Amino acid sequence: MIKKDVLGIRDMSKEDLIEILDTAKEMKKIIEGEKISDILKGKTIITIFFEPSTRTRLSFEMAAKYLGAHFGNIETKTSSVVKGESLIDTVRTVERMKADVIITRHNMSGAPHLMAKYLNASIINAGDGLNEHPTQALLDLMTIGEKKESFKGLKVVIIGDIVHSRVARSNMWGLLKLGAEVRLAGPATLLPKTFEKLGVKVYYDINKAINGVDVVMGLRIQLERQKSGLFPSKDEFVRYFGITSERMRLAKKDAILMHPGPINRNVEISSEAANSGYSVIEEQVTNGVAVRMALLKLLCERRKNNENNY
Ligand code: CP
């Protein structure tokens, strides 16, 4: 059974991952059907994001509503956070309004872990600094699982700004636990060789990295970080590390192309490749709702089973 909080993939077992993915499959039937259920009737779900988001925040809202929960959102820019209220005081206030699950994104690695320590409500990490983005990895795993027979021996390459990517870290943990071979590719300034200690292969030549893989996963190049000189220019990054349809042809014939979004079109991925038959980017978005429904369901069930401890 999953823990009280969903803080990262690193501390999940393979069995946890399988339970979540199996539950998400069931939840997808609700999305594709009437989009209403009373599984979370009487439960209160709150989102509080300290960083921008389109997909993650809204998909949690839709997940809560499709399952019949009460739902609230705090806009941090117009909340008492701007008056200097502390992180813990803010989330304790939310908890006292009888929140069962609080979902948060923060630029500080470890912020959700800190909240989890102080609160009885379950915390879901929707992205913390450079650390993890567990729900993104879960939706990615679900999408791969729908397209491929087994994770065992599957070759997956993650390309781009690895060093700043919490998506890459969470996917790496999840894919390794499920038995896939993980390759990382990017410029040396965005991909330290030390990642190899974690059991992945590091490539500085994208063509070699893509060769023969089942799954190609692009990452958002964080253009704001160009100022710090981590790669010479955007054009150079596109030339040496951009994912194009031509490069996709180096992968297996039935390879899929993924990206967590938002996309910088014609930077880390060409517009043509993003719209091509390889792309499952839009399916990832739908699966994002399904895995978040699954997590809310499993966490609330766990809370019910451990009622005396909350
Ligand atoms: N992939 C992802 O986390 O997207 P958002 O920033 O839009 O939530």
Side-chain angles (χ1 to χ4, degrees), residues 71-291:
F71 177 82
N73 173 52
I74 295 185
E75 287 292 343
T76 49
K77 281 197 181 118
T78 53
S79 74
S80 290
V81 168
V82 295
K83 299 179 202 162
E85 189 165 39
S86 77
L87 181 65
I88 297 303
D89 283 343
T90 301
V91 287
R92 271 198 170 138
T93 302
V94 172
E95 184 179 51
R96 293 305 286 183
M97 294 180 196
K98 300 294 175 195
D100 296 284
V101 183
I102 299 174
I103 300 129
T104 191
R105 171 175 286 187
H106 204 287
N107 59 357
M108 188 180 81
S109 298
H113 306 65
L114 187 69
M115 294 179 192
K117 206 167 132 186
Y118 284 96
L119 267 60
N120 283 324
S122 293
I123 305 296
I124 301 181
N125 178 4
D128 66 321
L130 304 184
N131 181 38
E132 283 225 40
H133 190 349
T135 64
Q136 178 67 45
L138 288 165
L139 76 88
D140 292 338
L141 294 175
M142 180 178 182
T143 308
I144 295 170
E146 285 179 344
K147 302 290 174 189
K148 303 292 167 190
E149 263 168 36
S150 164
F151 283 94
K152 203 157 173 47
L154 205 70
K155 290 185 171 64
V156 182
V157 62
I158 308 176
I159 299 169
D161 184 357
I162 307 285
V163 78
H164 298 112
S165 176
R166 52 198 180 202
V167 173
R169 282 178 183 76
S170 287
N171 264 297
M172 201 179 63
W173 297 124
L175 287 162
L176 290 173
K177 280 175 205 272
L178 293 177
E181 175 192 312
V182 181
R183 302 178 181 185
L184 304 179
T189 46
L190 299 176
L191 175 53
K193 191 89 175 152
T194 48
F195 270 93
E196 283 192 340
K197 287 188 188 146
L198 306 174
V200 300
K201 293 182 186 170
V202 166
Y203 291 78
Y204 298 117
D205 177 333
I206 188 179
N207 295 335
K208 283 187 183 152
I210 291 186
N211 193 34
V213 298
D214 301 277
V215 179
V216 177
M217 191 182 291
L219 297 172
R220 185 175 77 87
I221 266 295
Q222 299 178 28
L223 292 169
E224 65 274 19
R225 293 186 205 277
Q226 267 199 45
K227 290 188 199 92
S228 61
L230 288 174
F231 53 90
S233 71
K234 195 173 82 177
D235 289 348
E236 200 148 352
F237 183 87
V238 172
R239 189 165 347 124
Y240 290 109
F241 292 98
I243 303 168
T244 59
S245 293
E246 196 185 351
R247 283 187 165 139
M248 281 303 296
R249 285 192 274 280
L250 298 169
K252 283 192 184 155
K253 259 203 169 79
D254 62 349
I256 56 170
L257 173 58
M258 308 177 75
H259 192 295
I263 294 175
N264 295 306
R265 281 182 184 267
N266 300 320
V267 183
E268 68 266 6
I269 188 166
S270 74
S271 210
E272 193 212 343
N275 297 339
S276 71
Y278 295 112
S279 175
V280 294
I281 296 169
E282 291 183 2
E283 288 167 70
Q284 286 175 261
V285 176
T286 308
N287 288 341
V289 182
V291 297

